[in-house]
Amino acid sequence: MTVEIKVIRAGRMYRYYLRETVVGDGRRPVRTPLRVAQEQAGVPAGRWTGRGYAVLGLAPGEEVTEAQLRNLFGERGRHPYADQIEADRLAAGDSAKKALRAGALGRRVTVTGVDFVFRPQPTIYLLWALGDEETRRVIEAAHERAIERVLEWIEDEVAVIRYGKDGIYRVRSCARGGRRARRSRPVSPPTSSPPSSSTPAPRPP
């Protein structure tokens, strides 16, 4: 399995991601709601995964909404439920500035996440194309398990938060609640190739 890694930046790159990547690298029609576009493209909805989702009040396997993607990746690292958090604070009498701060996950950043695209090796594509349904199910299950193992390794051994002058201090992300990521998987026709999987992980605050 190979892994392609791309940095997600607030603004232009985020808009490209939301228009195309989340609908299976197709082209999302203008003004079409995310879930409708995914259904039209035959792409299942993204799901939250990782050890850190509970810190943000997310449920295991919860479907990722367009508003959550916009807040987390497009608005420089806001809470997935920032809109609701701000509305609740305003209703409680907080100022607009204080309510806005309540919906932030940390300081505003340009890099809001990292996108990992997992693809099987060429020989696996061939086996998928020539195999029967049972073979394809086994390949897909193995592919999904391999992704989970890689993400667990990244969370345990790679992901760190830097702070202090010039980032001289480092702390493992698991000590701050762990990784928060969304999983999306384009669906390929059964006679073509096994699906790749895109898993963007928000940048730690």
Side-chain angles (χ1 to χ4, degrees), residues 7-155:
V7 171
I8 300 175
R9 300 181 185 275
R12 188 173 181 179
M13 183 174 181
Y14 155 74
R15 291 193 293 271
Y16 166 81
Y17 177 80
L18 194 57
R19 285 197 308 265
E20 300 190 15
T21 305
V22 295
V23 290
D25 293 328
R27 185 69 178 181
R28 181 181 174 185
V30 178
R31 292 188 292 276
T32 302
L34 175 60
R35 193 67 197 101
V36 173
Q38 289 175 325
E39 290 175 353
Q40 292 174 348
V43 176
R47 302 284 176 181
W48 290 107
T49 185
R51 299 172 189 163
Y53 56 75
V55 176
L56 299 180
L58 300 167
E62 180 179 339
E63 183 174 319
V64 181
T65 68
E66 183 167 2
Q68 291 173 340
L69 286 175
R70 182 186 67 248
N71 287 335
L72 195 58
F73 294 120
E75 299 293 334
R76 299 192 176 185
R78 298 173 71 214
H79 192 287
Y81 289 120
D83 299 334
Q84 185 60 52
I85 291 172
E86 291 173 20
D88 291 344
R89 289 299 183 94
L90 290 171
D94 287 352
S95 66
K97 186 176 182 179
K98 188 174 182 179
L100 183 64
R101 286 200 303 267
L105 291 177
R107 64 184 178 86
R108 292 172 65 83
V109 295
T110 301
V111 175
T112 56
V114 181
D115 185 23
F116 300 87
V117 180
F118 300 85
R119 293 189 174 89
Q121 295 175 322
T123 51
I124 301 300
Y125 280 98
L126 181 61
L127 182 59
W128 174 279
L130 300 178
D132 55 21
E133 287 299 320
E134 182 178 358
T135 299
R136 291 170 184 155
R137 284 194 295 270
V138 170
I139 290 173
E140 182 170 339
H143 182 62
E144 293 292 322
R145 179 55 181 157
I147 292 172
E148 286 297 330
R149 292 296 299 274
V150 170
L151 293 177
E152 289 170 0
W153 177 80
I154 290 173
E155 188 172 46

